């Protein structure tokens, strides 16, 4: 198994391995809000079939706290109706429907979907994209469907779940020195 020293100094190149994912996911600091979103909010929303305002706000605070003021522009009715339609829609359309809500772009839409089904979906994030590109796992700017497929394939290849993979990808990017970004 590669040493921790190798991963700490690993700049770019090479494909992502199981050891890489284990190393970086263990360095990810799990926050209480993330635990609440994934263990309480997501299952409640999945069971009910739609988001309520407070639940939507929690997910937005987890993914992108700066967007909360835009989210508050949505009516309770729009939140319920659009999230109900999105969560029942075919996978390839869910992000598009959620983006009809004020303040929801693709990253937040992916977080809303992931909260409900973290074993099936993952969050689209610039940090994760940076890590995938730096390790030759992703060559172009992905759309939602292609990003999800890359992550699912990678998680299968390295024998991990999507949440663990996402945390490793995010943490590797976060840990990079500022001057090392492409």
């Amino acid at each position: 198994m590669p040493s921790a020293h190798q991963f700490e100094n690993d700049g770019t190149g090479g494909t992502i391995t199981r050891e890489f994912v284990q190393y970086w996911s263990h360095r990810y600091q799990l926050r209480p809000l993330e635990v609440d979103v994934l263990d309480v909010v997501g299952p409640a929303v999945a069971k009910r079939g739609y988001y309520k305002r407070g639940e939507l706000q929690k997910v937005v605070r987890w993914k992108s706290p700066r967007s909360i003021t835009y989210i508050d522009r949505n009516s309770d009715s729009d939140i319920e109706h659009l999230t109900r339609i999105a969560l029942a829609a075919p996978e390839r359309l869910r992000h598009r429907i959620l983006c009809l809500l004020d303040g929801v772009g693709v990253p937040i839409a992916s977080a809303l979907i992931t909260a409900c089904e973290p074993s099936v979906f993952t969050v689209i994030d610039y940090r994760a994209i940076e890590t995938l590109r730096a390790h030759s796992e992703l060559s172009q700017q992905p759309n939602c469907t292609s990003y999800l497929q890359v992550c699912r394939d990678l998680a299968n290849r390295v024998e991990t779940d999507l949440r663990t993979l996402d945390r490793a990808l995010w943490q590797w990017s976060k840990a990079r020195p500022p001057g090392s970004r492409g």
Side-chain angles (χ1 to χ4, degrees):
M1 179 171 171
S3 68
H5 179 73
Q6 176 187 346
F7 289 130
E8 289 169 356
N9 296 316
D10 179 4
T12 59
T15 57
I16 293 172
T17 64
R18 182 179 180 155
E19 292 79 15
F20 175 96
V21 172
Q22 289 172 342
Y23 179 84
W24 287 107
S25 66
H26 283 96
R27 277 143 189 80
Y28 179 90
Q29 184 178 0
L30 190 61
R31 297 176 300 158
L33 181 56
E34 181 176 346
V35 173
D36 187 39
V37 163
L38 295 173
D39 292 350
V40 179
V41 172
V45 170
K47 183 176 181 180
R48 183 183 328 107
Y50 64 90
Y51 275 88
K52 293 180 181 179
R53 177 177 298 282
E55 295 162 333
L56 182 75
Q57 290 170 329
K58 279 187 179 183
V59 176
V60 170
R61 280 191 191 96
W62 168 53
K63 175 60 187 127
S64 180
R66 293 175 297 197
S67 298
I68 201 70
T69 57
Y70 300 106
I71 292 297
D72 288 340
R73 295 178 184 169
N74 295 291
S75 70
D76 290 345
S77 177
D78 282 350
I79 291 170
E80 177 181 335
H81 289 112
L82 287 171
T83 61
R84 182 186 302 273
I85 292 166
L87 295 176
E91 187 175 291
R92 64 185 172 69
L93 300 177
R94 291 180 185 187
H95 293 84
R96 291 179 187 175
I97 296 166
L98 288 169
C99 287
L100 293 172
L101 290 166
D102 283 340
V104 176
V106 171
I108 291 175
S110 70
L112 292 166
I113 296 166
T114 299
C116 295
E117 296 184 78
S119 64
V120 180
F121 295 97
T122 192
V123 179
I124 297 172
D125 183 87
Y126 79 92
R127 290 195 181 282
I129 290 171
E130 176 183 57
T131 304
L132 291 168
R133 282 189 174 150
H135 291 87
S136 305
E137 299 285 356
L138 186 65
S139 59
Q140 298 178 0
Q141 182 64 27
N143 63 35
C144 299
T145 304
S146 65
Y147 179 82
L148 184 56
Q149 193 58 54
V150 165
C151 290
R152 285 174 176 166
D153 291 346
L154 180 55
N156 274 338
R157 190 181 81 220
V158 301
E159 300 174 335
T160 195
D161 60 275
L162 287 169
R163 287 305 312 137
T164 302
L165 175 64
D166 182 59
R167 290 173 180 142
L169 298 175
W170 192 92
Q171 186 61 40
W172 182 87
S173 172
K174 178 74 174 166
R176 288 182 78 186
S180 68
R181 304 208 184 281

